[in-house]
Amino acid sequence: MTYILCIETTSTNCSVALASEVGGFENDFNIAYCQDLLEDNSDSYSHGELLHVYIDRILERNSISPKDLSAIAISKGPGSYTGLRIGVASAKGLCYALNIPLISIDTSTAIALQAPQDKVTIPMIDARRMEVYSTVIDNGKTVDETKAVILEKDTYETYLNNKNTVIIGSGALKFQELLGDLDNVFINTLPTALTMCDLAMAAYKKSDIITDIAYFEPFYLKEFKSS
């Protein structure tokens, strides 16, 4: 049996999921391989206090030993610098201790799985003021790579003229307030380890894994600024 521990710490949501071929966790996103999920979707960063507690708890309540894990999947960013560092450090430590590979999951791709898959999806991660980290995904394929964008009324105008477009993520509400009333769908949500599960399982089956763990770095996208 393949078990993959999925860790999401790129936002205030401290989220841990157990992916397996059994699946069975009820959800609204048609995620097939999630067996269990634990998360704290609060307004403050609690990763330092909760992450390892959640990891221990999710393994214990599913009667899984750490030695049963086939891999660790980490949400690689972009997102919170502190959250990314905590998540990646924890994932690396587990991989070293258990001698198992690391799987890197693009945060924007995982966010997009919370939207209807027959839409053009633009995940937006809030990055202070009127800036977001965003990408464009059409029918599951990335057509515009993740980049830092200053939101203006004509941002993504071509896509917004298409009523088949969904804006999703922590930056969605900010963009909606800037634009006013539109026929597009705006979903204000945070990343979750739930939507990492199918991506992690697919990557593991394709051997799309990181074995040289020491050199893996999160996808910060921009250099850290203290203010």
Side-chain angles (χ1 to χ4, degrees):
M1 178 69 69
T2 300
Y3 293 107
I4 303 173
L5 185 70
C6 299
I7 298 173
E8 165 56 65
T9 59
T10 64
S11 73
T12 54
N13 187 22
C14 181
S15 184
V16 177
L18 181 65
S20 77
E21 292 153 313
V22 173
F25 185 83
E26 293 186 9
N27 63 90
D28 297 325
F29 309 126
N30 296 315
I31 302 300
Y33 290 115
C34 183
Q35 181 170 319
D36 200 1
L37 174 71
L38 274 172
E39 54 188 1
D40 176 53
N41 195 343
S42 63
D43 293 332
S44 59
Y45 288 92
S46 56
H47 313 325
E49 296 80 18
L50 292 180
L51 180 57
H52 286 281
V53 173
Y54 280 3
I55 291 171
D56 290 341
R57 188 178 300 169
I58 203 168
L59 294 177
E60 181 180 356
R61 76 182 191 183
N62 287 278
S63 300
I64 301 297
S65 165
K67 294 181 180 180
D68 295 324
L69 294 173
S70 304
I72 306 293
I74 185 67
S75 182
K76 72 174 184 178
S80 157
Y81 290 94
T82 301
L84 282 166
R85 286 195 293 267
I86 291 173
V88 169
S90 299
K92 282 185 172 183
L94 287 167
C95 288
Y96 276 124
L98 299 171
N99 194 27
I100 55 177
L102 180 67
I103 298 172
S104 171
I105 301 295
D106 180 73
T107 304
S108 295
T109 302
I111 292 173
L113 291 183
Q114 297 185 49
Q117 296 303 291
D118 59 345
K119 306 287 187 181
V120 175
T121 308
I122 305 180
M124 287 188 175
I125 299 170
D126 194 4
R128 296 185 181 186
R129 301 183 180 87
M130 292 308 295
E131 188 173 34
V132 295
Y133 303 138
S134 66
T135 188
V136 180
I137 298 173
D138 188 0
N139 289 321
K141 295 182 178 180
T142 300
V143 296
D144 192 357
E145 295 294 334
T146 304
K147 58 189 176 184
V149 175
I150 303 296
L151 294 177
E152 299 177 350
K153 288 191 174 182
D154 60 352
T155 303
Y156 292 122
E157 184 176 22
T158 301
Y159 294 105
L160 292 176
N161 288 333
N162 179 358
K163 296 180 182 180
N164 199 43
T165 298
V166 175
I167 314 297
I168 185 170
S170 58
L173 185 59
K174 181 165 62 177
F175 195 30
Q176 185 179 28
E177 291 174 347
L178 172 67
L179 296 173
D181 294 331
L182 284 178
D183 292 329
N184 303 98
V185 175
F186 292 81
I187 303 174
N188 184 39
T189 188
L190 295 176
T192 171
L194 168 63
T195 54
M196 293 175 61
C197 291
D198 286 7
L199 297 171
M201 191 64 70
Y204 184 79
K205 290 181 177 180
K206 292 189 299 182
S207 296
D208 186 10
I209 57 179
I210 296 169
T211 53
D212 197 355
I213 299 166
Y215 292 96
F216 174 76
E217 292 289 339
F219 180 37
Y220 291 120
L221 188 58
K222 293 180 66 178
E223 293 183 0
F224 176 74
K225 293 182 180 180
S226 59
S227 60

